[in-house]
PDB file of all heavy atoms in Angstrom:
ATOM      1  N   ILE A   1     206.372 249.836 -57.188  1.00  0.00           N
ATOM      2  CA  ILE A   1     205.711 250.082 -58.479  1.00  0.00           C
ATOM      3  C   ILE A   1     206.367 249.240 -59.575  1.00  0.00           C
ATOM      4  O   ILE A   1     205.683 248.599 -60.379  1.00  0.00           O
ATOM      5  CB  ILE A   1     205.743 251.590 -58.843  1.00  0.00           C
ATOM      6  CG1 ILE A   1     204.919 252.396 -57.834  1.00  0.00           C
ATOM      7  CG2 ILE A   1     205.248 251.814 -60.269  1.00  0.00           C
ATOM      8  CD1 ILE A   1     203.437 252.102 -57.826  1.00  0.00           C
ATOM      9  N   ASN A   2     207.681 249.208 -59.589  1.00  0.00           N
ATOM     10  CA  ASN A   2     208.406 248.387 -60.565  1.00  0.00           C
ATOM     11  C   ASN A   2     208.093 246.902 -60.362  1.00  0.00           C
ATOM     12  O   ASN A   2     207.904 246.158 -61.341  1.00  0.00           O
ATOM     13  CB  ASN A   2     209.910 248.651 -60.453  1.00  0.00           C
ATOM     14  CG  ASN A   2     210.694 247.995 -61.567  1.00  0.00           C
ATOM     15  OD1 ASN A   2     210.240 247.877 -62.696  1.00  0.00           O
ATOM     16  ND2 ASN A   2     211.905 247.558 -61.238  1.00  0.00           N
ATOM     17  N   LEU A   3     208.025 246.472 -59.115  1.00  0.00           N
ATOM     18  CA  LEU A   3     207.687 245.080 -58.806  1.00  0.00           C
ATOM     19  C   LEU A   3     206.313 244.737 -59.381  1.00  0.00           C
ATOM     20  O   LEU A   3     206.158 243.734 -60.087  1.00  0.00           O
ATOM     21  CB  LEU A   3     207.693 244.861 -57.286  1.00  0.00           C
ATOM     22  CG  LEU A   3     207.205 243.500 -56.792  1.00  0.00           C
ATOM     23  CD1 LEU A   3     208.208 242.409 -57.137  1.00  0.00           C
ATOM     24  CD2 LEU A   3     206.956 243.540 -55.297  1.00  0.00           C
ATOM     25  N   ILE A   4     205.326 245.571 -59.108  1.00  0.00           N
ATOM     26  CA  ILE A   4     203.963 245.313 -59.574  1.00  0.00           C
ATOM     27  C   ILE A   4     203.926 245.270 -61.107  1.00  0.00           C
ATOM     28  O   ILE A   4     203.335 244.357 -61.691  1.00  0.00           O
ATOM     29  CB  ILE A   4     202.995 246.369 -59.017  1.00  0.00           C
ATOM     30  CG1 ILE A   4     202.830 246.167 -57.508  1.00  0.00           C
ATOM     31  CG2 ILE A   4     201.637 246.304 -59.722  1.00  0.00           C
ATOM     32  CD1 ILE A   4     202.141 247.319 -56.800  1.00  0.00           C
ATOM     33  N   GLN A   5     204.554 246.245 -61.749  1.00  0.00           N
ATOM     34  CA  GLN A   5     204.565 246.289 -63.213  1.00  0.00           C
ATOM     35  C   GLN A   5     205.228 245.036 -63.785  1.00  0.00           C
ATOM     36  O   GLN A   5     204.752 244.478 -64.774  1.00  0.00           O
ATOM     37  CB  GLN A   5     205.281 247.548 -63.723  1.00  0.00           C
ATOM     38  CG  GLN A   5     204.555 248.835 -63.382  1.00  0.00           C
ATOM     39  CD  GLN A   5     203.124 248.858 -63.889  1.00  0.00           C
ATOM     40  OE1 GLN A   5     202.195 248.438 -63.214  1.00  0.00           O
ATOM     41  NE2 GLN A   5     202.945 249.333 -65.088  1.00  0.00           N
ATOM     42  N   SER A   6     206.313 244.587 -63.184  1.00  0.00           N
ATOM     43  CA  SER A   6     207.027 243.406 -63.664  1.00  0.00           C
ATOM     44  C   SER A   6     206.218 242.129 -63.461  1.00  0.00           C
ATOM     45  O   SER A   6     206.226 241.239 -64.323  1.00  0.00           O
ATOM     46  CB  SER A   6     208.372 243.270 -62.948  1.00  0.00           C
ATOM     47  OG  SER A   6     209.184 244.392 -63.208  1.00  0.00           O
ATOM     48  N   LEU A   7     205.517 242.035 -62.352  1.00  0.00           N
ATOM     49  CA  LEU A   7     204.778 240.811 -62.037  1.00  0.00           C
ATOM     50  C   LEU A   7     203.497 240.666 -62.844  1.00  0.00           C
ATOM     51  O   LEU A   7     203.047 239.550 -63.109  1.00  0.00           O
ATOM     52  CB  LEU A   7     204.452 240.763 -60.544  1.00  0.00           C
ATOM     53  CG  LEU A   7     205.638 240.660 -59.600  1.00  0.00           C
ATOM     54  CD1 LEU A   7     205.172 240.708 -58.156  1.00  0.00           C
ATOM     55  CD2 LEU A   7     206.463 239.409 -59.870  1.00  0.00           C
ATOM     56  N   LYS A   8     202.896 241.798 -63.245  1.00  0.00           N
ATOM     57  CA  LYS A   8     201.619 241.763 -63.977  1.00  0.00           C
ATOM     58  C   LYS A   8     201.684 240.927 -65.248  1.00  0.00           C
ATOM     59  O   LYS A   8     200.674 240.387 -65.682  1.00  0.00           O
ATOM     60  CB  LYS A   8     201.185 243.183 -64.339  1.00  0.00           C
ATOM     61  CG  LYS A   8     200.490 243.899 -63.247  1.00  0.00           C
ATOM     62  CD  LYS A   8     200.028 245.246 -63.749  1.00  0.00           C
ATOM     63  CE  LYS A   8     199.130 245.876 -62.716  1.00  0.00           C
ATOM     64  NZ  LYS A   8     198.594 247.141 -63.181  1.00  0.00           N
ATOM     65  N   GLU A   9     202.853 240.840 -65.836  1.00  0.00           N
ATOM     66  CA  GLU A   9     203.014 240.078 -67.070  1.00  0.00           C
ATOM     67  C   GLU A   9     202.866 238.572 -66.825  1.00  0.00           C
ATOM     68  O   GLU A   9     202.486 237.832 -67.727  1.00  0.00           O
ATOM     69  CB  GLU A   9     204.385 240.394 -67.669  1.00  0.00           C
ATOM     70  CG  GLU A   9     204.623 239.797 -69.025  1.00  0.00           C
ATOM     71  CD  GLU A   9     205.967 240.194 -69.598  1.00  0.00           C
ATOM     72  OE1 GLU A   9     206.520 241.245 -69.214  1.00  0.00           O
ATOM     73  OE2 GLU A   9     206.475 239.441 -70.445  1.00  0.00           O
ATOM     74  N   PHE A  10     203.159 238.141 -65.610  1.00  0.00           N
ATOM     75  CA  PHE A  10     203.204 236.707 -65.314  1.00  0.00           C
ATOM     76  C   PHE A  10     202.141 236.219 -64.332  1.00  0.00           C
ATOM     77  O   PHE A  10     201.872 235.026 -64.253  1.00  0.00           O
ATOM     78  CB  PHE A  10     204.588 236.348 -64.748  1.00  0.00           C
ATOM     79  CG  PHE A  10     205.708 236.741 -65.652  1.00  0.00           C
ATOM     80  CD1 PHE A  10     206.436 237.899 -65.410  1.00  0.00           C
ATOM     81  CD2 PHE A  10     206.031 235.979 -66.757  1.00  0.00           C
ATOM     82  CE1 PHE A  10     207.475 238.279 -66.248  1.00  0.00           C
ATOM     83  CE2 PHE A  10     207.068 236.350 -67.604  1.00  0.00           C
ATOM     84  CZ  PHE A  10     207.795 237.509 -67.351  1.00  0.00           C
ATOM     85  N   TYR A  11     201.583 237.134 -63.536  1.00  0.00           N
ATOM     86  CA  TYR A  11     200.662 236.753 -62.464  1.00  0.00           C
ATOM     87  C   TYR A  11     199.417 237.634 -62.467  1.00  0.00           C
ATOM     88  O   TYR A  11     199.467 238.801 -62.829  1.00  0.00           O
ATOM     89  CB  TYR A  11     201.324 236.952 -61.093  1.00  0.00           C
ATOM     90  CG  TYR A  11     202.565 236.136 -60.829  1.00  0.00           C
ATOM     91  CD1 TYR A  11     203.832 236.677 -61.017  1.00  0.00           C
ATOM     92  CD2 TYR A  11     202.461 234.836 -60.334  1.00  0.00           C
ATOM     93  CE1 TYR A  11     204.975 235.938 -60.736  1.00  0.00           C
ATOM     94  CE2 TYR A  11     203.609 234.098 -60.055  1.00  0.00           C
ATOM     95  CZ  TYR A  11     204.852 234.650 -60.258  1.00  0.00           C
ATOM     96  OH  TYR A  11     205.975 233.919 -59.969  1.00  0.00           O
ATOM     97  N   SER A  12     198.313 237.061 -61.975  1.00  0.00           N
ATOM     98  CA  SER A  12     197.157 237.867 -61.596  1.00  0.00           C
ATOM     99  C   SER A  12     197.459 238.392 -60.195  1.00  0.00           C
ATOM    100  O   SER A  12     197.956 237.637 -59.349  1.00  0.00           O
ATOM    101  CB  SER A  12     195.892 237.006 -61.550  1.00  0.00           C
ATOM    102  OG  SER A  12     195.611 236.498 -62.826  1.00  0.00           O
ATOM    103  N   LEU A  13     197.156 239.673 -59.942  1.00  0.00           N
ATOM    104  CA  LEU A  13     197.525 240.285 -58.662  1.00  0.00           C
ATOM    105  C   LEU A  13     196.307 240.743 -57.886  1.00  0.00           C
ATOM    106  O   LEU A  13     195.292 241.148 -58.470  1.00  0.00           O
ATOM    107  CB  LEU A  13     198.437 241.494 -58.902  1.00  0.00           C
ATOM    108  CG  LEU A  13     199.735 241.242 -59.673  1.00  0.00           C
ATOM    109  CD1 LEU A  13     200.509 242.542 -59.838  1.00  0.00           C
ATOM    110  CD2 LEU A  13     200.596 240.193 -58.986  1.00  0.00           C
ATOM    111  N   GLY A  14     196.416 240.698 -56.565  1.00  0.00           N
ATOM    112  CA  GLY A  14     195.365 241.188 -55.691  1.00  0.00           C
ATOM    113  C   GLY A  14     195.940 241.696 -54.385  1.00  0.00           C
ATOM    114  O   GLY A  14     197.096 241.433 -54.059  1.00  0.00           O
ATOM    115  N   ILE A  15     195.109 242.451 -53.665  1.00  0.00           N
ATOM    116  CA  ILE A  15     195.454 242.929 -52.328  1.00  0.00           C
ATOM    117  C   ILE A  15     194.415 242.377 -51.369  1.00  0.00           C
ATOM    118  O   ILE A  15     193.215 242.484 -51.612  1.00  0.00           O
ATOM    119  CB  ILE A  15     195.460 244.472 -52.262  1.00  0.00           C
ATOM    120  CG1 ILE A  15     196.591 245.039 -53.122  1.00  0.00           C
ATOM    121  CG2 ILE A  15     195.583 244.960 -50.813  1.00  0.00           C
ATOM    122  CD1 ILE A  15     196.581 246.555 -53.251  1.00  0.00           C
ATOM    123  N   VAL A  16     194.886 241.782 -50.276  1.00  0.00           N
ATOM    124  CA  VAL A  16     194.020 241.317 -49.195  1.00  0.00           C
ATOM    125  C   VAL A  16     194.539 241.978 -47.924  1.00  0.00           C
ATOM    126  O   VAL A  16     195.669 241.731 -47.505  1.00  0.00           O
ATOM    127  CB  VAL A  16     194.011 239.783 -49.059  1.00  0.00           C
ATOM    128  CG1 VAL A  16     193.197 239.360 -47.857  1.00  0.00           C
ATOM    129  CG2 VAL A  16     193.468 239.136 -50.332  1.00  0.00           C
ATOM    130  N   THR A  17     193.705 242.833 -47.341  1.00  0.00           N
ATOM    131  CA  THR A  17     194.119 243.612 -46.177  1.00  0.00           C
ATOM    132  C   THR A  17     193.111 243.491 -45.045  1.00  0.00           C
ATOM    133  O   THR A  17     191.917 243.284 -45.294  1.00  0.00           O
ATOM    134  CB  THR A  17     194.306 245.101 -46.563  1.00  0.00           C
ATOM    135  OG1 THR A  17     194.712 245.831 -45.409  1.00  0.00           O
ATOM    136  CG2 THR A  17     193.028 245.711 -47.137  1.00  0.00           C
ATOM    137  N   SER A  18     193.590 243.659 -43.835  1.00  0.00           N
ATOM    138  CA  SER A  18     192.711 243.709 -42.663  1.00  0.00           C
ATOM    139  C   SER A  18     192.219 245.128 -42.409  1.00  0.00           C
ATOM    140  O   SER A  18     191.512 245.377 -41.442  1.00  0.00           O
ATOM    141  CB  SER A  18     193.454 243.184 -41.427  1.00  0.00           C
ATOM    142  OG  SER A  18     193.783 241.827 -41.608  1.00  0.00           O
ATOM    143  N   SER A  19     192.592 246.048 -43.265  1.00  0.00           N
ATOM    144  CA  SER A  19     192.163 247.436 -43.135  1.00  0.00           C
ATOM    145  C   SER A  19     190.777 247.629 -43.752  1.00  0.00           C
ATOM    146  O   SER A  19     190.389 246.888 -44.647  1.00  0.00           O
ATOM    147  CB  SER A  19     193.148 248.359 -43.858  1.00  0.00           C
ATOM    148  OG  SER A  19     194.404 248.313 -43.244  1.00  0.00           O
ATOM    149  N   PRO A  20     190.047 248.656 -43.290  1.00  0.00           N
ATOM    150  CA  PRO A  20     188.741 248.957 -43.892  1.00  0.00           C
ATOM    151  C   PRO A  20     188.884 249.335 -45.366  1.00  0.00           C
ATOM    152  O   PRO A  20     189.876 249.957 -45.765  1.00  0.00           O
ATOM    153  CB  PRO A  20     188.224 250.154 -43.086  1.00  0.00           C
ATOM    154  CG  PRO A  20     189.036 250.175 -41.838  1.00  0.00           C
ATOM    155  CD  PRO A  20     190.348 249.547 -42.166  1.00  0.00           C
ATOM    156  N   GLY A  21     187.895 248.986 -46.150  1.00  0.00           N
ATOM    157  CA  GLY A  21     187.932 249.211 -47.587  1.00  0.00           C
ATOM    158  C   GLY A  21     188.077 250.665 -47.991  1.00  0.00           C
ATOM    159  O   GLY A  21     188.817 250.982 -48.926  1.00  0.00           O
ATOM    160  N   ILE A  22     187.382 251.574 -47.322  1.00  0.00           N
ATOM    161  CA  ILE A  22     187.461 252.997 -47.672  1.00  0.00           C
ATOM    162  C   ILE A  22     188.903 253.479 -47.536  1.00  0.00           C
ATOM    163  O   ILE A  22     189.456 254.129 -48.430  1.00  0.00           O
ATOM    164  CB  ILE A  22     186.506 253.846 -46.806  1.00  0.00           C
ATOM    165  CG1 ILE A  22     185.060 253.492 -47.131  1.00  0.00           C
ATOM    166  CG2 ILE A  22     186.760 255.329 -46.999  1.00  0.00           C
ATOM    167  CD1 ILE A  22     184.045 254.080 -46.161  1.00  0.00           C
ATOM    168  N   TYR A  23     189.522 253.154 -46.413  1.00  0.00           N
ATOM    169  CA  TYR A  23     190.925 253.527 -46.168  1.00  0.00           C
ATOM    170  C   TYR A  23     191.830 252.893 -47.225  1.00  0.00           C
ATOM    171  O   TYR A  23     192.678 253.561 -47.815  1.00  0.00           O
ATOM    172  CB  TYR A  23     191.328 253.080 -44.762  1.00  0.00           C
ATOM    173  CG  TYR A  23     192.811 252.974 -44.536  1.00  0.00           C
ATOM    174  CD1 TYR A  23     193.574 254.103 -44.265  1.00  0.00           C
ATOM    175  CD2 TYR A  23     193.447 251.736 -44.588  1.00  0.00           C
ATOM    176  CE1 TYR A  23     194.939 254.000 -44.046  1.00  0.00           C
ATOM    177  CE2 TYR A  23     194.806 251.630 -44.372  1.00  0.00           C
ATOM    178  CZ  TYR A  23     195.551 252.759 -44.104  1.00  0.00           C
ATOM    179  OH  TYR A  23     196.901 252.656 -43.900  1.00  0.00           O
ATOM    180  N   ALA A  24     191.647 251.585 -47.459  1.00  0.00           N
ATOM    181  CA  ALA A  24     192.514 250.871 -48.404  1.00  0.00           C
ATOM    182  C   ALA A  24     192.399 251.471 -49.802  1.00  0.00           C
ATOM    183  O   ALA A  24     193.412 251.685 -50.467  1.00  0.00           O
ATOM    184  CB  ALA A  24     192.151 249.387 -48.424  1.00  0.00           C
ATOM    185  N   ARG A  25     191.181 251.778 -50.248  1.00  0.00           N
ATOM    186  CA  ARG A  25     191.003 252.360 -51.576  1.00  0.00           C
ATOM    187  C   ARG A  25     191.662 253.738 -51.672  1.00  0.00           C
ATOM    188  O   ARG A  25     192.273 254.075 -52.680  1.00  0.00           O
ATOM    189  CB  ARG A  25     189.515 252.432 -51.939  1.00  0.00           C
ATOM    190  CG  ARG A  25     188.971 251.079 -52.406  1.00  0.00           C
ATOM    191  CD  ARG A  25     187.555 251.165 -52.923  1.00  0.00           C
ATOM    192  NE  ARG A  25     186.567 251.342 -51.862  1.00  0.00           N
ATOM    193  CZ  ARG A  25     186.128 250.381 -51.066  1.00  0.00           C
ATOM    194  NH1 ARG A  25     186.577 249.147 -51.216  1.00  0.00           N
ATOM    195  NH2 ARG A  25     185.225 250.628 -50.142  1.00  0.00           N
ATOM    196  N   LYS A  26     191.543 254.537 -50.610  1.00  0.00           N
ATOM    197  CA  LYS A  26     192.186 255.864 -50.603  1.00  0.00           C
ATOM    198  C   LYS A  26     193.707 255.718 -50.689  1.00  0.00           C
ATOM    199  O   LYS A  26     194.369 256.467 -51.413  1.00  0.00           O
ATOM    200  CB  LYS A  26     191.802 256.645 -49.338  1.00  0.00           C
ATOM    201  CG  LYS A  26     190.369 257.170 -49.348  1.00  0.00           C
ATOM    202  CD  LYS A  26     190.066 257.916 -48.062  1.00  0.00           C
ATOM    203  CE  LYS A  26     188.645 258.374 -47.980  1.00  0.00           C
ATOM    204  NZ  LYS A  26     188.327 259.499 -48.852  1.00  0.00           N
ATOM    205  N   LEU A  27     194.257 254.767 -49.956  1.00  0.00           N
ATOM    206  CA  LEU A  27     195.702 254.530 -49.955  1.00  0.00           C
ATOM    207  C   LEU A  27     196.166 254.029 -51.327  1.00  0.00           C
ATOM    208  O   LEU A  27     197.162 254.520 -51.876  1.00  0.00           O
ATOM    209  CB  LEU A  27     196.037 253.504 -48.868  1.00  0.00           C
ATOM    210  CG  LEU A  27     197.455 253.417 -48.364  1.00  0.00           C
ATOM    211  CD1 LEU A  27     197.905 254.730 -47.733  1.00  0.00           C
ATOM    212  CD2 LEU A  27     197.574 252.288 -47.352  1.00  0.00           C
ATOM    213  N   ILE A  28     195.436 253.091 -51.895  1.00  0.00           N
ATOM    214  CA  ILE A  28     195.761 252.533 -53.207  1.00  0.00           C
ATOM    215  C   ILE A  28     195.708 253.627 -54.273  1.00  0.00           C
ATOM    216  O   ILE A  28     196.605 253.746 -55.108  1.00  0.00           O
ATOM    217  CB  ILE A  28     194.798 251.372 -53.545  1.00  0.00           C
ATOM    218  CG1 ILE A  28     195.125 250.162 -52.660  1.00  0.00           C
ATOM    219  CG2 ILE A  28     194.871 251.008 -55.022  1.00  0.00           C
ATOM    220  CD1 ILE A  28     194.040 249.096 -52.644  1.00  0.00           C
ATOM    221  N   GLU A  29     194.667 254.439 -54.229  1.00  0.00           N
ATOM    222  CA  GLU A  29     194.520 255.515 -55.204  1.00  0.00           C
ATOM    223  C   GLU A  29     195.621 256.561 -55.049  1.00  0.00           C
ATOM    224  O   GLU A  29     196.215 256.995 -56.036  1.00  0.00           O
ATOM    225  CB  GLU A  29     193.145 256.172 -55.047  1.00  0.00           C
ATOM    226  CG  GLU A  29     192.873 257.242 -56.076  1.00  0.00           C
ATOM    227  CD  GLU A  29     191.491 257.835 -55.918  1.00  0.00           C
ATOM    228  OE1 GLU A  29     190.518 257.077 -55.754  1.00  0.00           O
ATOM    229  OE2 GLU A  29     191.403 259.081 -55.941  1.00  0.00           O
ATOM    230  N   TYR A  30     195.896 256.954 -53.810  1.00  0.00           N
ATOM    231  CA  TYR A  30     196.914 257.971 -53.565  1.00  0.00           C
ATOM    232  C   TYR A  30     198.273 257.537 -54.132  1.00  0.00           C
ATOM    233  O   TYR A  30     199.012 258.337 -54.700  1.00  0.00           O
ATOM    234  CB  TYR A  30     197.042 258.294 -52.071  1.00  0.00           C
ATOM    235  CG  TYR A  30     198.100 259.340 -51.810  1.00  0.00           C
ATOM    236  CD1 TYR A  30     197.819 260.687 -51.998  1.00  0.00           C
ATOM    237  CD2 TYR A  30     199.381 258.971 -51.429  1.00  0.00           C
ATOM    238  CE1 TYR A  30     198.801 261.659 -51.805  1.00  0.00           C
ATOM    239  CE2 TYR A  30     200.367 259.925 -51.233  1.00  0.00           C
ATOM    240  CZ  TYR A  30     200.070 261.264 -51.420  1.00  0.00           C
ATOM    241  OH  TYR A  30     201.042 262.213 -51.242  1.00  0.00           O
ATOM    242  N   HIS A  31     198.597 256.262 -53.953  1.00  0.00           N
ATOM    243  CA  HIS A  31     199.906 255.760 -54.379  1.00  0.00           C
ATOM    244  C   HIS A  31     199.891 255.147 -55.782  1.00  0.00           C
ATOM    245  O   HIS A  31     200.889 254.563 -56.212  1.00  0.00           O
ATOM    246  CB  HIS A  31     200.450 254.762 -53.357  1.00  0.00           C
ATOM    247  CG  HIS A  31     200.834 255.412 -52.062  1.00  0.00           C
ATOM    248  ND1 HIS A  31     201.928 256.238 -51.948  1.00  0.00           N
ATOM    249  CD2 HIS A  31     200.247 255.395 -50.842  1.00  0.00           C
ATOM    250  CE1 HIS A  31     202.017 256.687 -50.704  1.00  0.00           C
ATOM    251  NE2 HIS A  31     201.009 256.192 -50.017  1.00  0.00           N
ATOM    252  N   ASN A  32     198.768 255.272 -56.480  1.00  0.00           N
ATOM    253  CA  ASN A  32     198.651 254.772 -57.862  1.00  0.00           C
ATOM    254  C   ASN A  32     199.037 253.304 -57.999  1.00  0.00           C
ATOM    255  O   ASN A  32     199.747 252.921 -58.931  1.00  0.00           O
ATOM    256  CB  ASN A  32     199.489 255.625 -58.824  1.00  0.00           C
ATOM    257  CG  ASN A  32     198.992 257.042 -58.888  1.00  0.00           C
ATOM    258  OD1 ASN A  32     197.794 257.280 -59.036  1.00  0.00           O
ATOM    259  ND2 ASN A  32     199.901 257.987 -58.744  1.00  0.00           N
ATOM    260  N   LEU A  33     198.585 252.495 -57.044  1.00  0.00           N
ATOM    261  CA  LEU A  33     198.835 251.058 -57.124  1.00  0.00           C
ATOM    262  C   LEU A  33     197.819 250.461 -58.108  1.00  0.00           C
ATOM    263  O   LEU A  33     196.617 250.557 -57.890  1.00  0.00           O
ATOM    264  CB  LEU A  33     198.682 250.403 -55.750  1.00  0.00           C
ATOM    265  CG  LEU A  33     199.722 250.815 -54.722  1.00  0.00           C
ATOM    266  CD1 LEU A  33     199.357 250.274 -53.345  1.00  0.00           C
ATOM    267  CD2 LEU A  33     201.095 250.315 -55.134  1.00  0.00           C
ATOM    268  N   THR A  34     198.313 249.894 -59.169  1.00  0.00           N
ATOM    269  CA  THR A  34     197.437 249.389 -60.223  1.00  0.00           C
ATOM    270  C   THR A  34     197.154 247.895 -60.029  1.00  0.00           C
ATOM    271  O   THR A  34     197.452 247.074 -60.881  1.00  0.00           O
ATOM    272  CB  THR A  34     198.045 249.654 -61.606  1.00  0.00           C
ATOM    273  OG1 THR A  34     199.358 249.068 -61.626  1.00  0.00           O
ATOM    274  CG2 THR A  34     198.141 251.145 -61.883  1.00  0.00           C
ATOM    275  N   ILE A  35     196.579 247.593 -58.881  1.00  0.00           N
ATOM    276  CA  ILE A  35     196.171 246.226 -58.579  1.00  0.00           C
ATOM    277  C   ILE A  35     194.654 246.254 -58.450  1.00  0.00           C
ATOM    278  O   ILE A  35     194.108 246.866 -57.533  1.00  0.00           O
ATOM    279  CB  ILE A  35     196.831 245.722 -57.276  1.00  0.00           C
ATOM    280  CG1 ILE A  35     198.360 245.716 -57.430  1.00  0.00           C
ATOM    281  CG2 ILE A  35     196.317 244.331 -56.919  1.00  0.00           C
ATOM    282  CD1 ILE A  35     199.116 245.322 -56.180  1.00  0.00           C
TER     283      ILE A  35
END
């Protein structure tokens, strides 16, 4: 979380996964990943 917050100031961020979108969105939401 600290890494993501620190990097947002300098970079555009994204997630590219081989996992299904429904699963990935649930995981991202559960862990409050702001990407």
Side-chain angles (χ1 to χ4, degrees):
I1 295 295
N2 189 34
L3 173 71
I4 290 168
Q5 294 304 89
S6 299
L7 295 177
K8 277 184 171 183
E9 187 177 336
F10 304 100
Y11 299 97
S12 297
L13 303 179
I15 293 173
V16 175
T17 180
S18 296
S19 295
I22 294 169
Y23 161 81
R25 281 187 286 282
K26 286 179 184 287
L27 199 61
I28 289 165
E29 184 178 314
Y30 180 80
H31 291 289
N32 296 312
L33 293 171
T34 56
I35 299 176

